[in-house]
Amino acid sequence: MGVLLLSSPAFPTLFLFSLVALCLIPQYALASITRHYKFEIKQQNVTRLCHTKSIVTVNGQFPGPRIVAREGDRLLIKVVNHVQHNISIHWHGIRQLRTGWADGPAYVTQCPIQTGNSYVYNFTIVGQRGTLWWHAHISWLRSTLYGPIVILPKLGVPYPFTKPYKEVPIIFGEWWNADPEAVIKQALQTGGGPNVSDAYTFNGLPGPLYNCSAKDTFKLKVKSGKTYLLRLINAALNDELFFSIANHTLKVVDADAVYVKPFETDTIRITPGQTTNVLLKTKPHFPNATFFMTARPYVTGLGTFDNSTVAGILEYESPSKTLQSTLPMKKLPLFKPILPALNDTSFATKFSNKLRSLANAQFPANVPKKVDKHFFFTVGLGTNPCNKHNQTCQGPNGTMFAASVNNVSFVMPTTALLQAHFSGQSNRVYSSNLPSSPVIPFNYTGTPPNNTMVSNGTKLVVLPFNTSVELIMQDTSILGAESHPLHLHGYNFFVVGQGFGNFDQNKDPANFNLVDPVERNTVGVPSGGWVAIRFLADNPGVWFMHCHLEIHTSWGLKMAWVVLDGKLPNQKLLPPPADLPTC
């Protein structure tokens, strides 16, 4: 439930006059409001691919409900847990300025909400507009617990592009015939790779290319000569995706709720966690055809993946009832897009390089020019010894798969990190000695070292308030090079550079873009390459950073930053709410 807008002939004329008068006064026209939502976490039977199963949902919906707000609005979202799983919800990409208690990752900023309990997420949207999303942030429950966050500009503030005729969220997801919780449990027990999903989905629908799914097809019905804003979200657990609409061009205008310099493309590349807003300009006249929109994975690793394609249909409204009766939609020719090859890293790279901030007076790119602290993180896969006595595990050479940052595979605590930090009990929960660069340097993208074992620990990095950070994230080829979509909570960052091979401190920084780099919350570390980001640590709290491929997070490719309070009252973390869940 959201904010209700009243419209009735009996609505008092005096109140309408007052409302009009208020809207003419600038400070009232831009006034923010508080929006209330209630999320009831409950089981719901859902059928896809002729397979019915009980899934965890919000309010019985799959995907979950849309949250709509304006920049500057405050959100109060009450989450009530009616299922047997512990629950926490992350508002992906929301800056959470001083409100880390509302960020959501379980055992990082909060203990999860236990069965029968509730928690109110309380935060304000500051300086953001565009598309973000919410999802469960515990185990693999986000496979069904996710939905869009639509952030409109302040009242009276236009988009910096053509005003769309209509706005449509499209969430890429997955359908699993199996229970994803059982899938990850088995993978962690055996040490091997997890089973893959059975289908990809558009807004929860697999579409006609899958068995028994023609009726479960997402249809985008459009009018000729109109501009539509498509709000694209990749909620898939483990797959980056290519997306295209046959015979139509898309104009990219926004990424991760930050406006970008518009550019046209036939195909979008989008990693799990990322959002992309595109303008779709429909054909000026009824085309006497329908068009497939399809998505399939971009694959860089050596592991198994769901090698299938999801399709929806772009359908034009007929200009007249006569034409509609003579040309039923089923008889119209259907055009299909040509997507890049599954391993087309060249396209993926070119697409990423086109993304640039607007960097103008209204929407500046405040890239930190001076760097206080430099970090170099290797990110990739490794192994742990098999923990079963006299048994071999299903990872490489009888080991268990692991993943790490600077060879430290993150061990999740049983107490929330933010609570430990705030209460001064951090010594019992985590250490602040994550290496700022690899302890033993090696040829990161060359011949892998003989020893693939990782270390394990709950190690964080502590940053003084207002520290400007430059972080190089380097992929490794220890168990095969692979792209890693890294997501930073609590911050946007600027992607100032990227390349292939090993990062060269002497040469590569000279090519950094410090003028109009794209600003994001999730970035793909190139397969066999590196990415350089910069951000200003101006938001006190404990902030998770992890790979958004869920299996890599489960294996330990994650860490957290502790950003200390500043000296001024408005530079300090707010105290925890009274209803904060306990462990």
Side-chain angles (χ1 to χ4, degrees), residues 52 133 199 226 264 344 483 498 559 564 582:
T52 301
W133 62 300
K226 301 288 186 183
E264 293 189 339
D344 195 340
S483 177
Q498 61 180 14
M559 57 82 65
L564 302 177
T582 56

Side-chain angles (χ1 to χ4, degrees), residues 167-183:
E167 303 184 2
V168 184
I170 299 178
I171 311 184
F172 310 122
E174 290 166 292
W175 174 260
W176 304 68
N177 284 335
D179 176 7
E181 290 299 282
V183 170

Side-chain angles (χ1 to χ4, degrees), residues 204-432:
L205 301 171
L209 301 183
Y210 291 105
N211 178 46
C212 190
S213 299
K215 67 181 189 330
D216 293 325
T217 299
F218 172 68
K219 292 184 179 179
L220 179 58
K221 297 185 178 179
V222 298
K223 294 182 177 181
S224 301
K226 301 288 186 183
T227 298
Y228 292 78
L229 178 67
L230 307 184
R231 298 176 176 271
L232 309 177
I233 300 165
N234 187 351
L237 286 188
N238 293 309
D239 291 286
E240 303 187 47
L241 296 169
F242 292 128
F243 169 75
S244 184
I245 302 177
N247 294 25
H248 288 75
T249 301
L250 303 171
K251 181 183 282 188
V252 178
V253 294
D254 183 299
D256 289 357
V258 181
Y259 297 133
V260 297
K261 288 185 172 72
F263 67 91
E264 293 189 339
T265 182
D266 294 332
T267 303
I268 300 294
R269 174 236 183 163
I270 186 167
T271 78
Q274 289 183 338
T275 63
T276 306
N277 281 4
V278 299
L279 294 179
L280 167 69
K281 196 167 183 355
T282 58
K283 298 182 181 301
H285 306 292
F286 183 74
N288 290 325
T290 55
F291 306 90
F292 258 168
M293 53 180 101
T294 59
R296 75 174 181 205
Y298 162 53
V299 182
T300 57
L302 301 176
T304 55
F305 62 95
D306 181 350
N307 184 13
S308 65
T309 302
V310 57
I313 295 176
L314 180 70
E315 206 172 82
Y316 279 74
E317 280 189 23
S318 301
S320 68
K321 289 183 178 177
T322 311
L323 183 60
Q324 202 164 15
S325 60
T326 56
L327 275 173
M329 286 295 172
K330 288 182 180 177
K331 298 290 176 67
L332 292 176
L334 175 65
F335 291 96
K336 300 176 182 179
I338 299 173
L339 288 167
L342 292 168
N343 61 350
D344 195 340
T345 293
S346 173
F347 176 87
T349 305
K350 287 174 185 172
F351 180 83
S352 298
N353 288 337
K354 289 177 185 174
L355 292 162
R356 292 279 189 268
S357 288
L358 280 183
N360 58 22
Q362 189 179 1
F363 303 106
N366 296 318
V367 194
K369 301 295 197 294
K370 174 182 142 295
V371 175
D372 297 322
K373 293 208 172 182
H374 293 264
F375 295 89
F376 183 90
F377 286 176
T378 56
V379 295
L381 302 185
T383 57
N384 269 321
C386 188
N387 59 11
K388 298 176 182 175
H389 297 295
N390 304 320
Q391 260 185 289
T392 55
C393 290
Q394 293 175 10
N397 300 315
T399 63
M400 304 185 76
F401 270 113
S404 66
V405 175
N406 279 349
N407 207 47
V408 178
S409 186
F410 193 85
V411 176
M412 291 301 285
T414 53
T415 300
L417 298 171
L418 185 60
Q419 288 170 280
H421 162 65
F422 186 81
S423 63
Q425 303 292 313
S426 59
N427 288 342
R428 302 178 186 176
V429 179
Y430 65 84
S431 63
S432 53

Side-chain angles (χ1 to χ4, degrees), residues 187-188 191-194 381 401-404 409-410 550-557:
L188 294 178
L381 302 185
F401 270 113
S404 66
S409 186
F410 193 85
E550 210 60 40
I551 185 57
H552 291 176
T553 294
S554 299
W555 285 338
L557 210 170

